[in-house]
Amino acid sequence: MVFLWSVDGKNMLKIARDNACTALTNLRLRRQHEVAVGKEWIERAKEAGETDENDHEGDKNNYNKFCQGLERLDNALVQLDETLMPLYDF
């Protein structure tokens, strides 16, 4: 049995770019959602400033997890953007 097939490089590049752009959009929407959900944590942090004497340890841990999640999303956005640059430049 013989299989004959070919690869259309331009079409593959277009599909890869489209998929990466979709992923970038989804990550941005996820970050916006996380910020909207965690707005309370952000406001608490702004109000507390340097004086966090009344905060519970659990609140600190939850806020740190929230910030870590935002950092991870930001890192993923930067990495995906760096991946997209060569796809559009060439």
Side-chain angles (χ1 to χ4, degrees):
M1 204 178 272
V2 176
F3 294 101
L4 298 175
W5 55 280
S6 66
V7 176
D8 185 9
K10 291 181 182 179
N11 192 30
M12 278 184 43
L13 183 62
K14 182 185 179 307
I15 291 171
R17 280 191 295 208
D18 290 346
N19 289 342
C21 287
T22 301
L24 188 64
T25 302
N26 289 339
L27 279 172
R28 286 180 179 166
L29 289 173
R30 174 66 186 264
R31 190 182 190 293
Q32 287 177 354
H33 172 74
E34 291 294 328
V35 168
V37 169
K39 199 172 229 177
E40 181 182 329
W41 293 110
I42 295 170
E43 289 173 4
R44 278 189 192 177
K46 287 180 181 176
E47 290 173 4
E50 294 295 322
T51 60
D52 55 355
E53 298 168 359
N54 295 330
D55 285 348
H56 294 91
E57 194 64 33
D59 285 345
K60 288 180 188 177
N61 289 338
N62 288 337
Y63 178 71
N64 288 336
K65 287 179 185 178
F66 170 73
C67 290
Q68 187 179 24
L70 287 181
E71 261 184 57
R72 287 180 179 168
L73 285 172
D74 289 338
N75 288 338
L77 282 166
V78 168
Q79 288 176 353
L80 191 54
D81 188 49
E82 289 174 353
T83 300
L84 273 172
M85 275 198 289
L87 292 177
Y88 277 101
D89 288 344
F90 298 107

